[in-house]
Amino acid sequence: MAPISIQTVLISESVDPRCKAILEENGIRVTEKPNMKRDELMAEIKDYDGLVVRSATKVNADVISAAHNLKIIGRAGTGVDNVDVDAATKKGIIVMNTPSGNTISAAELTCALLMSLSRNVPQAAMSMKQGNWDRKKFMGAELYGKVLGIVGLGRIGKEVASRMQSFGMRTIGYDPITTPEVTAGWGVEQMSLEQLWPQCDYITVHTPLMPSTVGLLCDETFAKCKKGVKVVNCARGGIIDEAALLRALESRQCGGAGLDVFVEEPPKNRSLVEHPNVISCPHLGASTKEAQARCGEDIALQIVDMVKGKSLVGVNQTHCASDGAASGVCKVEIVVDGSSYKASGSVQGGVPVLLELDDSVFRQPVSLTGNLLFFKASASPQLLSSVAGLLATEGVEIESFSAPTAHSGDLWYCVGVSSLPRDLSALKPLVKEAAHLTI
Ligand SMILES: NC(=O)c1ccc[n+]([C@@H]2O[C@H](COP(=O)([O-])OP(=O)(O)OC[C@H]3O[C@@H](n4cnc5c(N)ncnc54)[C@H](O)[C@@H]3O)[C@@H](O)[C@H]2O)c1
Ligand SMILES: O=C(O)[C@H](O)COP(=O)(O)O
């Protein structure tokens, strides 16, 4: 993929000023136009090479078809469910996000909601403002010794687990991709959802919104939970079915809910927001100075890197060869610092996976999630242990390992790591090439 020419970028939401500054420092003209209606966006977008959004701008197929020059959609944040990625991909538009910039902020808000649910802090504060002094009404329960079920053990799920363990909660969870061995390392015992539901005093969901996660908590699964279970959704509206949640709150099967996200934002149906046992926020998970600074800066740097043809970090979808797209396999060519790499991948169970990189065909599809280190090296029985030893000196642990099918020659390997190593040059004695990225 040759460097992309981006001369103009439209920022359609409130994004940290560093984003505009970095783009402009790199010769890109930037226009900020927040709060546009759909028709205004469709009229405006035709003039731009790039678009930067958060979660409120719905970049649907109509907007994409009106975007005659668009080459990049940058999401300053994690979820890309507000972007029609398929429509963008078919038109050759790259969609990129900044998946780790707001992890800590979203995890901290989740913990704040869990704590508020246990001690009725928002309701008590409201009551005080109304002139009351009601100590009995707001009797709470300790989090200490309670069981927290975490559904979705990716970036945010992991950070929530470690924070709530410090309150003495037992953390159990479920994730189809992150392995039980890995989560055991951060104190989360994995089990099937059938085993998880009846054990939890609290449940928090941290998955993307996709067909397999819509209504994860529904009438059927609420019925399997402990009576009075409290739930938190700081991920995406709809992962907890809203109508089922209301029914469970009314029957007291659910003892309280902390909601940061809704199917429709802002929600026109106010039944949940107004329920006395619901604490809600207007999608504030990423709304901290720190998260916004990281996401704004990261997305600008990623766009600049794409323009210079030197980065694959943060690219979550790129051009699919049309024949490949029809068979579900996406073939891409990535150019990093002038070298070209051919990759093919697909989406399995909602998760993007890498099947081949150059001449290396992986034995198992490599899940493109978390911190990944790719390296090209001559096959040898000592390779993995030598790489693991070098990484360990930087405090980096290997969490998964993907080997190629072939056994000789220079081949690509991929390891999932606990964190990205600071300096890849330390690997030089062992490998021919290396690259790392967080997805
Ligand atoms: N409220 C906010 O402002 C806010 C801020 C940041 C992120 N988010 C949202 O939080 C969610 C999680 O973000 P993240 O950065 O941790 O994502 P992530 O990709 O790091 O983790 C998601 C995890 O969900 C797992 N998963 C997929 N399908 C599943 C299923 N059926 N059951 C259980 N687990 C499943 C994946 O394997 C992955 O480990 C996303 O929906 C994101 O959009 C919200
Ligand atoms: O997916 C995300 O990054 C969060 O939902 C934050 O969305 P926001 O950028 O609109 O606050």
Side-chain angles (χ1 to χ4, degrees):
M1 190 168 29
I4 297 167
S5 164
I6 304 285
Q7 287 165 8
T8 54
V9 165
L10 173 65
I11 301 180
S12 65
E13 288 184 61
S14 163
V15 172
D16 189 90
R18 282 291 293 147
C19 179
K20 182 171 190 267
I22 292 169
L23 292 172
E24 287 180 342
E25 280 158 22
N26 285 277
I28 297 172
R29 291 195 304 283
V30 179
T31 305
E32 288 179 295
K33 276 205 176 182
N35 306 322
M36 272 181 288
K37 299 213 165 58
R38 186 172 154 274
D39 291 349
E40 290 172 88
L41 175 61
M42 282 174 64
E44 186 77 20
I45 194 68
K46 58 182 170 13
D47 298 330
Y48 294 90
D49 301 319
L51 172 66
V52 173
V53 299
R54 286 177 57 187
S55 63
T57 308
K58 305 299 169 214
V59 193
N60 57 23
D62 290 346
V63 172
I64 286 166
S65 80
H68 304 307
N69 297 326
L70 202 61
K71 297 174 192 89
I72 285 189
I73 300 169
R75 161 60 162 119
T78 307
V80 286
D81 41 300
N82 54 318
V83 178
D84 188 333
V85 178
D86 283 346
T89 303
K90 279 190 193 124
K91 222 176 155 186
I93 298 169
I94 291 167
V95 181
M96 47 166 64
N97 62 350
T98 58
S100 49
N102 56 30
T103 301
I104 300 294
S105 293
E108 287 184 358
L109 183 71
T110 305
C111 299
L113 290 176
L114 287 165
M115 286 183 249
S116 300
L117 282 174
S118 71
R119 302 301 292 271
N120 305 304
V121 177
Q123 295 93 329
M126 189 75 77
S127 166
M128 287 288 282
K129 285 194 195 298
Q130 288 161 355
N132 305 320
W133 182 259
D134 204 339
R135 299 183 67 206
K136 203 166 174 200
K137 185 172 174 191
F138 299 116
M139 174 70 92
E142 288 181 351
L143 290 171
Y144 181 81
K146 302 294 188 305
V147 176
L148 172 63
I150 306 175
V151 182
L153 294 160
R155 286 174 290 259
I156 298 171
K158 177 183 179 185
E159 298 301 331
V160 169
S162 66
R163 282 157 182 75
M164 297 322 293
Q165 284 156 14
S166 70
F167 275 74
M169 294 194 92
R170 178 177 163 230
T171 46
I172 62 176
Y174 169 74
D175 192 296
I177 302 287
T178 313
T179 64
E181 293 73 30
V182 166
T183 64
W186 16 282
V188 179
E189 184 191 342
Q190 275 206 61
M191 57 192 66
S192 71
L193 288 173
E194 291 303 302
Q195 292 170 306
L196 178 139
W197 302 129
Q199 297 193 44
C200 300
D201 300 295
Y202 292 80
I203 296 171
T204 181
V205 293
H206 298 288
T207 69
L209 181 70
M210 50 191 183
S212 60
T213 62
V214 171
L216 260 176
L217 269 161
C218 58
D219 288 321
E220 197 190 331
T221 46
F222 267 121
K224 293 177 182 165
C225 293
K226 263 190 197 173
K227 187 152 180 86
V229 66
K230 294 183 176 173
V231 298
V232 169
N233 186 358
C234 272
R236 278 293 177 272
I239 297 172
I240 300 180
D241 182 274
E242 293 183 344
L245 173 59
L246 191 60
R247 285 190 284 274
L249 285 160
E250 277 163 5
S251 69
R252 305 254 166 190
Q253 177 64 12
C254 176
L259 304 176
D260 185 44
V261 287
F262 296 85
V263 171
E264 183 185 26
E265 294 184 357
K268 285 204 190 80
N269 181 339
R270 309 293 296 169
S271 327
L272 280 172
V273 173
E274 283 163 15
H275 193 284
N277 292 341
V278 171
I279 299 163
S280 60
C281 297
H283 201 147
L284 292 182
S287 294
T288 63
K289 288 184 291 238
E290 294 83 356
Q292 286 312 308
R294 280 185 218 113
C295 292
E297 191 165 322
D298 288 355
I299 200 67
L301 290 171
Q302 287 171 206
I303 291 173
V304 169
D305 280 353
M306 288 303 295
V307 171
K308 294 182 177 165
K310 72 169 195 189
S311 173
L312 81 157
V313 175
V315 177
N316 69 359
Q317 202 93 358
T318 182
H319 307 272
C320 283
S322 51
D323 54 339
S327 66
V329 174
C330 179
K331 291 184 194 296
V332 296
E333 188 182 356
I334 302 154
V335 180
V336 183
D337 291 337
S339 305
S340 160
Y341 304 87
K342 290 198 171 61
S344 76
S346 75
V347 177
Q348 295 185 3
V351 177
V353 294
L354 182 68
L355 304 169
E356 293 174 30
L357 185 55
D358 288 340
D359 294 331
S360 305
V361 179
F362 291 101
R363 282 186 218 169
Q364 303 286 342
V366 181
S367 297
L368 293 175
T369 173
N371 299 315
L372 300 175
L373 168 65
F374 290 89
F375 55 86
K376 191 176 194 180
S378 312
S380 94
Q382 293 80 32
L383 180 63
L384 181 62
S385 56
S386 309
V387 170
L390 265 179
L391 292 174
T393 59
E394 281 213 40
V396 176
E397 285 171 44
I398 291 189
E399 297 181 338
S400 62
F401 175 59
S402 304
T405 47
H407 296 286
S408 59
D410 289 339
L411 300 165
W412 279 105
Y413 296 79
C414 175
V415 288
V417 284
S418 55
S419 57
L420 295 183
R422 275 182 306 277
D423 181 12
L424 285 180
S425 62
L427 291 171
K428 261 191 188 149
L430 297 172
V431 308
K432 304 268 179 326
E433 287 184 69
H436 57 186
L437 69 160
T438 297
I439 303 176

